[in-house]
Every structure is written in C-alpha cells, then in structure tokens.
Amino acid sequence: MIQRRRVSRICTVFAGAGFAMLAQGTGWAQTMGRLFPVAVPGYAEAPGVTARSRLHPEYDPAGVAAAGSDFVVYPVLAAGFGFDSAPVSGAGSSAFAAIRPSLRIQDDALGLAGFASADLTRYARGEAADSNDVTAALGFGIPLGPDRMTVGVARAVTAESGLGLAQSGGTAPFRVVMNDGRIAMRLPFGGFDATERLGVSHEVLATAGGIAPAFRGRTVLRESSEIATAPDRVLRWLVLLKAAQARYRGVVPDAGFGNSGAIAALGGFETDAASLWRLRVLAGVMRQGFAGDVAPARITPVFSAGLGWTPDGLISFDLAVSRVAGLESALGTPGTAVTSADLVIAEAYRRNLLLTATIDARAARIGGAAAREIDIDAGATWHVSRAFALKPRLWFALRQNLPGSPPREARATISMVWSP
C-alpha cells in the first residue's frame, strides 16, 4: 500500500507540473552550462544540490585516483540505440545507434574540474542527421580574499535550431561550433556582495541551413556586474547591469540585424538558496543598437524568474521563465527577443533509481513569423551497480514555423552506461 501511494504521488506531481508549465506559455532559456552535466567552475552546478545531482557513494563511480594526490579521473562509456520519427525535415523515420565516451577530472586541492565527451550517432535511413559532436570544458576555482575567482574555457560542437541549442536529444538543422571563455569574481563588502563576470565566445555554423554567409559566424563579448545584499538575510535584493558586443562576418542589407551592442539594467530579489522554496526574479530593459543603417535601435523589456522546490532529498522541482533579447538569444535569432520556459522534475524513487521529466518551450519571431518549439522529455537512470546503469528515455517535440526542423518529432532511446 505504501508503494502504491508513492507511485500515485509521483504521477500527481508529474501531471500537475505539466499543467503548470502549459499555463505559463511558451519560452525557453539556454545557457552553455547545460552542456556540461558535472561541476566545472564557471559553467555547471556543483553536485549534491538537488535530487538530480545528489551524491550516492554506494553507486557513484569511484574513479581512478593518482597516487599521493587529490587528482581523480572518471572515465565513462555509454552506448545506446533507438528510433526517431523524423531525424531530418522531410525524411522518414529511422533507427539509430550512438556511442558516447566521456571523461571527467577533478582535483579538489587545486580547485580544478574538467569534462570532455564525444557523441557519435549514426542513422540507418537519415544519414543527413549523423553527428560527431565533441564537448569539452575546463575550469579553475582560485581563492581570492574571502571568496574565490572562477575561470573556465570550453569548446563544443553541437546542434541548434532557429530558437536555440538542442538540449533534449532531438535533431536540429544547424551544426554549431562554439569556443567560449569566461571569468567571474565575487567579493563581499560588509552588507552586500559584488560579482563581476566577463566572457567571450566565438560561434560558427558548420552547416549553412539557408542562413546568409555573413551571419554564419559571430564573436560576442559579454560583461555583467551584480550587486546583492548580504546572503545571511532571508531575502536578497539584486541589481544587475549587463553589456555585450557582437561582431558578424559581414552585413546583409535589410537583414534586420548585424554588428551590434547592447546594455541592460535589471533589478529583483532572490530567497535563501537552502530554503524549501527558492525564488529568484529579475526584470528590466535592454537597449540594442546596430552599426550603420541595418536597423533602428531597439528597447526591449527583459526578465528572468526561477522557482525551485525541494521538500526533501528525494524530489526537486525547478521552473525557469525568461525573455532575452538580441545578443543573448540564439545564433539563429540574434535580432529578436526569445521568450522561454524550462521545467524539470526529478524524483529519486530509490537510491539507485532516478526519474526525470522535462518540458522546454521557447518562442520568437523568425523572418516576421511567430516560431515556437516545445520539447517533452521523460527518462530514468537505474544504477544496477556502481559500474553499470541503464537509461531509457522518451522525447517528443512540437514545432511551428521553425526553418529546417520537422513540425513533429518523437524519439525513444535506451542507453547502457559503464563507469569503471
């Protein structure tokens, strides 16, 4: 009876969360950090925070430690197969197989962490969707006074649709090569904290996808300054100033965007990160100006809001809603605002069985038409032993007016993971 009530509670949470997501409307926020599933300073979340990343010593890989040091290497080999209903726009369904080797390194004494992975996917009938994606990141946490400075560099070869990076395992028409570097510093000053972030990225479309050559590559420089009241209070007030510059390979007349600069001012608050409910809200405006006569300057309302609920160590609920403009949006929509939402639910049904459900939604105007994309993803991670795990997944996408992408796509996969 207890087991039956527990299953009922999981189903209720999943269904209720899905309804809440649809009520919020469409939208999606993407950061490069989601490409890295481990703690890399400057990019990804530290482990042990929520049900998705909580540490379980009896099942987590032990790694290979170097004698006499804190340096540990964690190799992983994943192999999977599945079925995709529309791997390429206009093509039929196809089976596929994938091999994903990865390597994680960590040295707590040096404040070092790194991650590298390759994704080699082959389709039986949709060869145009075959991929050889490589992702790598390296970060340092450097002690600096009462706090620390983080430095990170990354390179990724991944897929992108007209609205952003493909994170849920589906196909996307544009192959993107990204090189990224960032540095951040946080310093406390009595009753408030100051955080400075500086980043530069170079993004190139490896496939044309109908985009003019002038806009297949860009370099973006981003800077942000955040001032927040001291973290020992229940509620922290925040002020955020952001600036960015983007440079493209060339300019196309009447394109509506081009070399540009932007500045934004936002204010808001956040609650205690260790509380049962966590809320962060920022809102403001961004002004984006364009070089030459490409387009008039634009002032766009922008915001981001995040809601988290962690009643215990076995379940977590995270909802993020945002509206970003210009330089912060996807490579395919650099001159327009992208509204987005991201919902993730994780349930540790047992210590060796994690259930997850994700809904990603995003919307913008592409070529004057409203474009939308919604991804629904459900999966599980079952640790049969410390060294072996099974990961089944179901994924479905609905798209409207998204160039190069099929209007509907479904995918079912099962992966086997070996962690020696």
Side-chain angles (χ1 to χ4, degrees):
M1 182 64 69
I2 294 176
Q3 186 83 343
R4 187 176 302 169
R5 286 199 299 266
R6 184 173 178 81
V7 173
S8 177
R9 178 170 72 90
I10 295 171
C11 294
T12 301
V13 171
F14 273 57
F19 176 80
M21 181 64 175
L22 293 175
Q24 290 288 340
T26 58
W28 185 61
Q30 169 58 45
T31 63
M32 194 173 180
R34 288 184 63 180
L35 291 171
F36 310 110
V38 296
V40 176
Y43 290 97
E45 180 184 67
V49 178
T50 67
R52 283 180 293 161
S53 59
R54 185 169 297 279
L55 300 175
H56 296 291
E58 68 273 37
Y59 292 109
D60 294 329
V64 180
S69 73
D70 293 323
F71 186 81
V72 185
V73 178
Y74 301 88
V76 176
L77 178 62
F81 61 91
F83 181 83
D84 197 316
S85 67
V88 181
S89 181
S93 58
S94 175
F96 66 90
I99 298 177
R100 302 181 181 93
S102 65
L103 184 71
R104 177 167 65 97
I105 61 172
Q106 184 172 336
D107 191 319
D108 293 333
L110 295 178
L112 165 71
F115 176 78
S117 69
D119 187 339
L120 312 176
T121 304
R122 296 293 180 269
Y123 286 81
R125 297 175 58 189
E127 292 83 0
D130 290 351
S131 62
N132 299 297
D133 296 344
V134 179
T135 298
L138 183 67
F140 290 88
I142 304 170
L144 185 67
D147 214 286
R148 69 170 188 165
M149 177 173 62
T150 59
V151 180
V153 292
R155 176 180 173 84
V157 180
T158 184
E160 181 180 295
S161 72
L163 290 175
L165 296 175
Q167 292 299 302
S168 297
T171 57
F174 310 129
R175 313 305 296 176
V176 184
V177 180
M178 297 183 295
N179 294 294
D180 184 86
R182 57 186 65 182
I183 183 171
M185 179 175 59
R186 176 181 173 271
L187 292 174
F189 293 97
F192 66 92
D193 295 334
T195 303
E196 293 288 329
R197 297 182 179 90
L198 181 65
V200 60
S201 63
H202 182 63
E203 306 160 1
V204 178
L205 284 175
T207 55
I211 295 180
F215 298 115
R216 293 176 192 168
R218 68 175 180 177
T219 300
V220 182
L221 177 67
R222 298 179 177 91
E223 188 276 339
S224 70
S225 301
E226 179 182 290
I227 298 177
T229 55
D232 57 349
R233 302 179 182 180
V234 176
L235 193 68
R236 302 182 70 197
W237 296 97
L238 309 169
V239 174
L240 181 63
L241 301 177
K242 305 170 70 175
Q245 290 282 336
R247 293 293 179 265
Y248 291 85
R249 291 179 175 177
V251 176
V252 175
D254 302 321
F257 61 90
N259 293 344
S260 61
I263 186 169
L266 301 95
F269 65 90
E270 67 180 6
T271 59
D272 184 6
S275 61
L276 174 68
W277 290 89
R278 302 174 307 282
L279 179 63
R280 177 183 171 95
V281 177
L282 284 170
V285 294
M286 173 177 279
R287 183 188 186 276
Q288 184 175 6
F290 299 88
D293 299 326
V294 171
R298 301 170 182 171
I299 297 179
T300 305
V302 292
F303 67 86
S304 66
L307 175 65
W309 176 52
T310 310
D312 54 43
L314 300 177
I315 188 170
S316 64
F317 172 103
D318 295 285
L319 173 65
V321 182
S322 69
R323 187 173 193 262
V324 298
L327 305 184
E328 292 187 320
S329 60
L331 183 60
T333 53
T336 187
V338 177
T339 306
S340 60
D342 176 21
L343 174 68
V344 180
I345 306 170
E347 165 76 13
Y349 186 71
R350 295 190 181 94
R351 294 182 69 85
N352 67 331
L353 179 59
L354 176 67
L355 307 177
T356 58
T358 303
I359 303 178
D360 288 326
R362 47 237 181 243
R365 298 192 69 82
I366 299 179
R372 297 182 178 87
E373 183 170 18
I374 301 175
D375 293 345
I376 303 172
D377 184 7
T381 300
W382 175 33
H383 289 279
V384 181
S385 65
R386 181 191 292 271
F388 186 73
L390 291 175
K391 292 187 175 184
R393 292 182 63 196
L394 293 174
W395 175 84
F396 182 71
L398 290 171
R399 307 181 181 105
Q400 178 184 2
N401 295 330
L402 205 56
S405 298
R408 287 177 297 276
E409 184 179 359
R411 169 181 282 209
T413 64
I414 183 166
S415 299
M416 292 143 282
V417 183
W418 178 53
S419 306

